[in-house]
Amino acid sequence: ANGIPASGMRIELYKYDTSDNNDTKQHIKSYVTNSDGRLPSGPALKGAEFTVGQYQWIFHVGDYFARYASSRISGTPFLDVVRLD
């Protein structure tokens, strides 16, 4: 939205536990993007961590956009927390 990499954005990764039929989530890791807008350690899951399953990413875009006055309209954020399942 600002035409630059999203550096310093907080991101969380969860994995759903579908074995209990309640779709509970387990927090896997939290990240903060680097100056290039990428995860500093490379791929989020590597090796044995990378397993089949259903995951959820949570992007804290409201905190990120709060650093840019031009991304707000009347002081109200358009987006705050974006969840991707």
Side-chain angles (χ1 to χ4, degrees):
N2 288 309
I4 58 173
S7 65
M9 183 183 297
R10 187 166 55 103
I11 302 172
E12 297 175 82
L13 178 60
Y14 291 84
K15 183 175 183 181
Y16 284 99
D17 179 3
T18 56
S19 65
D20 62 6
N21 294 322
N22 289 326
D23 286 340
T24 56
K25 297 186 299 187
Q26 176 188 0
H27 181 260
I28 304 296
K29 289 186 181 179
S30 293
Y31 308 90
V32 176
T33 57
N34 64 19
S35 62
D36 195 30
R38 299 172 192 246
L39 301 182
S41 60
L45 299 174
K46 302 175 194 170
E49 294 177 313
F50 188 59
T51 60
V52 173
Q54 183 178 356
Y55 293 86
Q56 180 184 63
W57 286 99
I58 298 179
F59 296 84
H60 296 271
V61 298
D63 295 340
Y64 168 75
F65 283 126
R67 294 192 304 248
Y68 300 96
S70 63
S71 66
R72 296 214 172 201
I73 300 173
S74 302
T76 304
F78 178 71
L79 297 170
D80 187 23
V81 176
V82 175
R83 292 172 175 82
L84 299 176
D85 289 327

